[in-house]
Amino acid sequence: MSSTERDTGAAVAATAAERAIGSAAEPAAESATARVAEGEELRSVTLPTLPGVTLTVRSRPPRRPGLPPALYVHGLGGSSRNWSQLMPLLADRVDGRAVDLPGFGASPPPADGNYSITAHARAVIRLLDTAGDGPVHLLGNSLGGAVATRVAAVRPDLVRTLTLVSPALPELRVQRSAVPTGLLGVPGVARLFGRMTRDWTPERRAHAVIALIYGDPTRVSEEGLRAAIEEMERRSRLPYFWEAMGRSARGIVDAYTLGGQHNLWRQAERVLAPTLLVYGGRDRLVSYRMASRAAVAFRDSRLVTLPDAGHVAMMEYPEAVARAVRELLDDTARS
């Protein structure tokens, strides 16, 4: 049994916990510094079956009670805030929560220092088991897309639909613009880069990230830029930030080299949930050419391509992504 497969004893123990994610949890310790949009709240959730891991969950009240649950999973270097533009557009259809993976956002680093795809997937699975309200509509971007793919493959009972925005699935020919990010996975490089750029201002760091992940950086509003700068300032105070970045990048690289049943493309073929794939034509991190391969790998899939979008279409074109998700939900409900 895979380490991310169902653990019956753990599931029973987890189900005894609160059934709504964060409903009885403590407010997040970092909430005073992590940015929270109007109508959102952050909660810290201690996972009873995964010692050493505490997750922060961002949520907003659904438009009405009884909506099906959804969970959003961010990408490398991101946080639950990456979904703040999409979540309100779907609040009338799902009861949405976005998780900060261990070591990112307001979630503290894992006690064991494990940032592999498997470890992140295990944390998401335990979170869903703890909530006890699956299956959920699961959405993931980049690293979060790889994590969500693994979750859907090994725990199909937890996933009703799967939405992947530029998922980090293995590529044989990585585009040049993605190489520096991949190099962060080389031991020591992330900390070295941190030292080399220690004199960069938060503004410079924010502009560099925006230029990398947006197809058109001018689409970022002044408010969005201010939020990005604030987040850079907050991250600079976290002693574990570069470790989380480096080890998570290494986890992606390691996942690219895995064979057999743990290969992410093999796991994509095992996914039973109806799947929405969203790819951006100006993505500098995940190649646009991987869209057709993904559409074949996921057995029940639909593909949406946004020619002008970059790596974070849910931030750059949230309305277009929301429309595609609504169509997926409608078709799934009818079937």
Side-chain angles (χ1 to χ4, degrees):
M1 177 180 290
S2 165
S3 60
T4 52
E5 297 278 3
R6 177 193 295 275
D7 181 332
T8 304
V12 171
T15 304
E18 281 298 320
R19 298 185 65 83
I21 295 177
S23 62
E26 295 297 325
E30 295 283 348
S31 60
T33 52
R35 191 178 182 90
V36 182
E38 183 178 356
E40 294 181 344
E41 67 174 13
L42 296 181
R43 293 281 182 175
S44 291
V45 180
T46 299
L47 305 180
T49 59
L50 197 57
V53 174
T54 298
L55 298 176
T56 296
V57 175
R58 181 182 303 262
S59 63
R60 61 171 52 247
R63 298 283 175 82
R64 61 181 186 276
L67 292 177
L71 184 69
Y72 303 83
V73 188
H74 64 81
L76 180 67
S79 73
S80 57
R81 196 177 64 81
N82 289 25
W83 300 99
S84 289
Q85 292 164 273
L86 183 64
M87 288 174 67
L89 300 180
L90 296 174
D92 63 327
R93 300 299 303 276
V94 297
D95 184 359
R97 297 109 181 201
V99 62
D100 285 331
L101 292 172
F104 292 96
S107 291
D112 62 2
N114 189 346
Y115 291 92
S116 66
I117 298 291
T118 295
H120 285 317
R122 185 185 300 119
V124 170
I125 286 172
R126 295 299 184 250
L127 179 65
L128 294 174
D129 275 337
T130 298
D133 56 1
V136 304
H137 298 290
L138 185 61
L139 299 89
N141 167 237
S142 190
L143 164 66
V147 170
T149 297
R150 182 153 292 177
V151 171
V154 302
R155 288 295 302 273
D157 59 302
L158 292 177
V159 181
R160 184 170 185 184
T161 67
L162 181 64
T163 295
L164 305 176
V165 181
S166 296
L169 300 175
E171 299 183 38
L172 292 177
R173 292 185 295 114
V174 178
Q175 53 189 342
R176 290 182 181 179
S177 54
V179 170
T181 302
L183 287 176
L184 290 176
V186 177
V189 168
R191 287 192 177 277
L192 175 62
F193 182 76
R195 290 195 296 269
M196 291 174 60
T197 61
R198 62 178 176 269
D199 294 331
W200 286 21
T201 64
E203 290 85 353
R204 183 177 178 182
R205 292 184 187 277
H207 280 291
V209 171
I210 288 170
L212 179 65
I213 65 175
Y214 276 75
D216 179 5
T218 65
R219 292 184 63 85
V220 180
S221 65
E222 291 186 8
E223 172 64 18
L225 178 59
R226 283 196 299 270
I229 293 171
E230 287 179 15
E231 179 64 9
M232 288 300 169
E233 291 177 326
R234 190 186 73 83
R235 289 178 181 180
S236 68
R237 297 191 294 268
L238 300 176
Y240 54 82
F241 173 71
W242 287 111
E243 178 183 18
M245 281 289 292
R247 293 194 177 189
S248 289
R250 194 181 315 160
I252 295 175
V253 174
D254 289 345
Y256 276 29
T257 64
L258 286 176
Q261 65 175 341
H262 297 296
N263 177 270
L264 283 168
W265 285 115
R266 291 282 297 277
Q267 292 193 321
E269 294 169 354
R270 293 169 53 188
V271 171
L272 301 177
T275 301
L276 168 65
L277 302 165
V278 180
Y279 281 81
R282 295 184 178 180
D283 195 329
R284 297 176 180 87
L285 294 174
V286 169
S287 176
Y288 185 70
R289 66 176 181 268
M290 301 306 295
S292 58
R293 179 174 181 180
V296 173
F298 291 90
R299 66 179 72 187
D300 183 4
S301 69
R302 61 187 66 196
L303 174 62
V304 172
T305 58
L306 300 174
D308 295 324
H311 191 59
V312 287
M314 73 285 185
M315 299 171 68
E316 197 169 5
Y317 294 94
E319 293 83 4
V321 175
R323 284 195 299 271
V325 173
R326 286 174 173 276
E327 291 176 5
L328 174 68
L329 301 182
D330 288 341
D331 291 347
T332 301
R334 283 194 291 267
S335 62

